[in-house]
Amino acid sequence: MKRLSLLFILLFVFVIIVQMFERPARETIMFFPIDPTVRFTNAQTKLSLQPKKKETRYVIDWIVTSSLDRTAYLRQDISMLFANGRLIATQSKWKEKGKNLIQQKHVEQKGSRLFQSISYHQGELHNGDDIRSSQKMSGDLLYVIDSSFAPLQSFRKPITSEQKTWANTLNKQTQTIVNKAAKQTNDILQTDEYYHLYLTELVQYNEQPFMDLTTNETEIMIGNLWEGLYKNYFLGIKKQNGSIESPIGSTVPLILIKKDYSKLLIITETVDGELVVLKQLLEFTQ
């Protein structure tokens, strides 16, 4: 009986060890040198409004898709959705030995809102001991008008005078929220030494290099930026007291890039009003 018990214990330990070694690739974002021969054939983030309300609330369909031109050791996508300048939802998905990823979420909201989403798509490629990556960003925005004085509607670019009025109002509301963190930053930093942009504006650097940088250097900076964002913002914000807080309710991160490209800062205000500054050193050698 004792021998059977001992055999069972040894077998159980062996199974655990095997599972540890066979555990699939880690679910995280890690930047590796870019492989210029690999590309995304599709990378898209799409927001759309369902036409009918659910009682007093409406539903936003939020779809994130991507396709790599070959099978990767690891495929990963993360996405964030902001409403009037504050994070309201996230999505993430990863797949071993994959090319394509699809994510979809239905988000219920009420009231007029400016929705902005940004996604980071990555493929990790292994060739023996050589590890490379491919990356791309995508994003979308959607104005939703939910008012007792107008029918439920949505648009990306305002066309009518009514839409232009609403867009102007929602833009101002959003800027008021995100600019609060920027104003606090001005009190503690020489911000004229930095380039400024908000995270949702980063998508434009898919196709063009950042100021004074080459395309390759821009890709390195963006890849390292997303690695840091994932670990220190997306998964949770580390506050001054050491506690980890959900990023939901925090403001769109403000990105400050030192003009000598020695470092960058990621700045956000948590849901309870605490200003958080994340620092990242920049290194362009691969």
Side-chain angles (χ1 to χ4, degrees):
M1 189 70 177
K2 288 183 178 179
R3 287 185 177 180
L4 287 175
S5 298
L6 180 60
L7 181 62
F8 177 77
I9 291 171
L10 289 173
L11 181 62
F12 180 70
V13 171
F14 176 74
V15 169
I16 290 177
I17 291 173
V18 169
Q19 286 178 343
M20 286 174 64
F21 280 103
E22 291 184 349
R23 189 171 294 168
R26 73 279 177 278
E27 184 179 0
T28 188
I29 297 289
M30 291 185 67
F31 176 73
F32 296 97
I34 295 294
D35 186 334
T37 68
V38 182
R39 68 184 184 89
F40 277 90
T41 57
N42 169 60
Q44 186 176 43
T45 300
K46 186 176 181 181
L47 302 173
S48 59
L49 173 67
Q50 290 188 7
K52 293 185 179 180
K53 279 188 176 183
K54 290 185 175 181
E55 297 180 351
T56 61
R57 303 173 74 85
Y58 56 83
V59 177
I60 296 294
D61 288 329
W62 175 27
I63 302 174
V64 181
T65 61
S66 64
S67 300
L68 200 63
D69 66 357
R70 66 198 67 186
T71 299
Y73 174 81
L74 190 64
R75 276 292 343 275
Q76 304 163 95
D77 282 357
I78 63 172
S79 187
M80 290 176 268
L81 179 61
F82 301 89
N84 286 4
R86 291 192 179 274
L87 185 68
I88 61 169
T90 63
Q91 292 194 78
S92 65
K93 191 171 185 178
W94 67 293
K95 181 193 293 185
E96 244 189 318
K97 305 298 182 185
K99 294 171 61 176
N100 310 315
L101 288 178
I102 300 175
Q103 298 179 79
Q104 182 171 10
K105 186 174 282 190
H106 305 297
V107 182
E108 290 190 12
Q109 289 283 290
K110 63 179 180 179
S112 298
R113 297 279 187 272
L114 166 57
F115 294 95
Q116 296 169 291
S117 181
I118 184 168
S119 306
Y120 178 70
H121 315 275
Q122 191 199 49
E124 184 179 312
L125 304 113
H126 290 208
N127 183 13
D129 294 332
D130 185 34
I131 304 177
R132 301 276 167 172
S133 63
S134 183
Q135 65 184 18
K136 195 160 188 178
M137 296 177 288
S138 66
D140 197 11
L141 68 81
L142 190 70
Y143 294 92
V144 173
I145 310 308
D146 178 25
S147 168
S148 56
F149 302 104
L152 181 67
Q153 60 177 299
S154 66
F155 55 88
R156 285 179 176 79
K157 293 184 179 180
I159 298 174
T160 67
S161 58
E162 180 188 31
Q163 288 178 345
K164 290 177 181 178
T165 299
W166 275 111
N168 186 52
T169 299
L170 293 174
N171 288 339
K172 285 182 177 179
Q173 289 178 4
T174 301
Q175 283 301 312
T176 297
I177 290 171
V178 299
N179 284 346
K180 184 180 176 183
K183 289 176 181 177
Q184 292 180 72
T185 304
N186 288 335
D187 296 333
I188 59 176
L189 291 172
Q190 295 290 331
T191 54
D192 58 345
E193 298 178 359
Y194 294 82
Y195 296 119
H196 305 64
L197 76 161
Y198 288 99
L199 178 62
T200 48
E201 300 173 312
L202 198 60
V203 179
Q204 63 186 299
Y205 295 103
N206 262 334
E207 309 298 338
Q208 62 180 0
F210 206 80
M211 287 166 279
D212 304 321
L213 293 183
T214 65
T215 299
N216 184 58
E217 289 170 337
T218 300
E219 289 178 332
I220 293 171
M221 183 177 70
I222 288 173
N224 282 291
L225 170 60
W226 277 101
E227 180 179 330
L229 271 171
Y230 183 77
K231 293 176 181 176
N232 301 301
Y233 179 78
F234 190 92
L235 294 180
I237 301 171
K238 188 174 183 179
K239 302 176 69 177
Q240 290 181 1
N241 63 9
S243 64
I244 305 296
E245 179 177 299
S246 167
I248 299 299
S250 64
T251 57
V252 176
L254 170 65
I255 301 169
L256 300 183
I257 303 169
K258 195 81 181 287
K259 290 181 179 179
D260 65 3
Y261 292 103
S262 60
K263 66 179 178 180
L264 63 80
L265 304 174
I266 301 169
I267 299 163
T268 186
E269 181 188 273
T270 63
V271 67
D272 58 4
E274 181 176 321
L275 186 71
V276 175
V277 181
L278 306 172
K279 180 182 177 181
Q280 191 171 45
L281 299 179
L282 294 176
E283 175 60 61
F284 295 104
T285 58
Q286 294 194 64

